[in-house]
Amino acid sequence: MKRILVIILSAALLQGCNNSQGVSDAYGNFEADKTLISAEVTGRILQFNLEEGDLLSAGQIVGQIDSLDLHLKKEQMEAQILALKANFDQINAQLEVQQQQLENIEISRLRTENLKKEGAATQKQMDDVQGQYELAKKQLIAINSQGNALTQQINALREQKKQIELNLQKSTLSNPVDGSVLNKYAMTGEMAMAGRALYAIADLSSLKLKAYISGQQLSQIKLGQQVKVLIDAPGGKLESLSGSIVWISETAEFTPKTIQTREDRINLVYAFKVKVPNDGRLKIGMPGEVVFKTGEHN
């Protein structure tokens, strides 16, 4: 009887050892780098041509925000610029007249200065001509200043026009990155607000398995390391994929509740991510396992 009991216990221990060899080194879930695409201008959405699951390419036009108000502002800005430009003709005419007056006063000043030297003109006459000359120079400077101020106003309007044109471009919704639409947050006819998310997109050609290891296991991994990733397969089996470690956390954290047993949750662990090429079998949120050492898993 004792011999039979020993045989049973030995078989149980052997079975336990065989199961331990099939235990993975880390467990986690797949995730993707999600990009939130937001509206850059405010207005009513006139078109929004995408649905969740659509595969989009970078630069693809997906919608249009009402830009009538921006077009009207642009036309108003162009009209103001033309009106200011029309003032240049008047300023240029004033400059020509003032320049001629200055030349005439200069001639008079030189003549009066020669007469004074000969005693035929008084100091008062000389002072009067000199005053007229200085006044004419200041008037010429003032007219030039008006032209400069007019130029600055036009340049300021041109900069505002550039901003309007930029907002007009932003009114056309262009998808910035390749990927699949994960979530759609707006519909045609709704008001888009600048900064409000319209949809979320992610490149699903590869996913990242975020898993956790203990501090004792930390020395077993490094960036760029090739590891084996296991996912559930039909019939209760595990399917093996290849991946590489692309990120290792620098700080420890408490074990997530979904990863380990209640007793192990008090332990501090380190998160890391494994990038795995996706042929369509991997889904966001799917569980996965990581094996650092090569071995067979059924």
Side-chain angles (χ1 to χ4, degrees):
M1 185 68 180
K2 292 183 178 180
R3 184 177 180 183
I4 295 175
L5 183 59
V6 171
I7 293 175
I8 293 175
L9 291 175
S10 299
L13 290 174
L14 181 59
Q15 182 65 30
C17 292
N18 290 335
N19 289 339
S20 66
Q21 292 177 358
V23 174
S24 299
D25 295 301
Y27 303 84
N29 296 87
F30 285 98
E31 59 183 34
D33 293 329
K34 182 188 298 187
T35 302
L36 287 178
I37 309 302
S38 302
E40 297 184 76
V41 294
T42 298
R44 189 171 301 280
I45 302 175
L46 301 180
Q47 296 178 359
F48 198 36
N49 307 319
L50 62 81
E51 297 296 336
E52 294 177 352
D54 286 351
L55 183 62
L56 304 179
S57 57
Q60 182 175 340
I61 303 301
V62 297
Q64 178 68 46
I65 295 176
D66 185 11
S67 57
L68 178 59
D69 183 56
L70 292 173
H71 279 291
L72 294 176
K73 287 182 179 179
K74 180 182 177 182
E75 292 178 358
Q76 181 183 11
M77 205 70 63
E78 291 173 343
Q80 290 177 350
I81 292 174
L82 289 176
L84 290 174
K85 284 183 176 180
N87 293 331
F88 272 115
D89 294 336
Q90 181 180 0
I91 290 177
N92 289 334
Q94 292 177 358
L95 281 173
E96 291 179 2
V97 171
Q98 193 63 35
Q99 185 66 40
Q100 186 61 50
Q101 288 180 354
L102 185 64
E103 291 176 0
N104 294 339
I105 295 174
E106 172 66 12
I107 293 172
S108 221
R109 187 177 70 85
L110 293 174
R111 183 180 300 153
T112 302
E113 185 177 359
N114 291 332
L115 290 173
K116 184 176 179 301
K117 289 179 180 179
E118 296 175 358
T122 64
Q123 181 63 40
K124 183 178 182 307
Q125 291 175 321
M126 185 65 195
D127 292 341
D128 290 342
V129 174
Q130 184 65 32
Q132 294 175 7
Y133 179 76
E134 295 296 333
L135 178 61
K137 283 203 305 183
K138 291 179 179 180
Q139 290 175 339
L140 187 63
I141 293 173
I143 295 174
N144 276 320
S145 298
Q146 292 178 14
N148 293 334
L150 198 60
T151 300
Q152 291 177 0
Q153 292 180 42
I154 292 175
N155 290 337
L157 289 174
R158 284 173 174 167
E159 291 300 318
Q160 294 178 31
K161 180 184 173 184
K162 288 180 181 179
Q163 183 63 48
I164 292 175
E165 290 173 342
L166 178 61
N167 288 336
L168 281 171
Q169 294 178 3
K170 294 177 179 179
S171 297
T172 300
L173 301 177
S174 176
N175 179 60
V177 295
D178 296 332
S180 299
V181 178
L182 301 180
N183 303 100
K184 182 179 179 181
Y185 304 119
M187 301 294 291
T188 300
E190 293 182 353
M191 282 295 296
M193 304 297 294
R196 174 193 170 189
L198 298 177
Y199 63 99
I201 189 172
D203 182 5
L204 301 182
S205 61
S206 63
L207 295 185
K208 294 177 181 177
L209 176 62
K210 185 176 183 181
Y212 299 85
I213 55 175
S214 66
Q216 295 178 347
Q217 295 174 287
L218 193 59
S219 60
Q220 301 180 35
I221 64 173
K222 62 181 179 180
L223 292 176
Q225 178 180 339
Q226 296 295 312
V227 296
K228 180 182 293 186
V229 175
L230 304 177
I231 60 174
D232 294 333
K237 296 183 179 181
L238 294 175
E239 189 171 356
S240 177
L241 303 172
S242 296
S244 60
I245 298 177
V246 294
W247 175 79
I248 303 173
S249 176
E250 297 179 351
T251 57
E253 58 185 287
F254 286 107
T255 309
K257 295 181 180 180
T258 58
I259 301 299
Q260 299 290 352
T261 64
R262 182 180 300 273
E263 290 76 12
D264 289 333
R265 289 176 196 160
I266 61 173
N267 295 334
L268 289 176
V269 294
Y270 291 84
F272 69 100
K273 294 182 181 181
V274 179
K275 186 175 182 179
V276 184
N278 184 19
D279 59 2
R281 289 176 293 177
L282 303 180
K283 308 294 188 297
I284 296 175
M286 177 186 291
E289 306 176 14
V290 183
V291 180
F292 300 147
K293 297 181 180 179
T294 59
E296 296 298 330
H297 290 260
N298 298 322

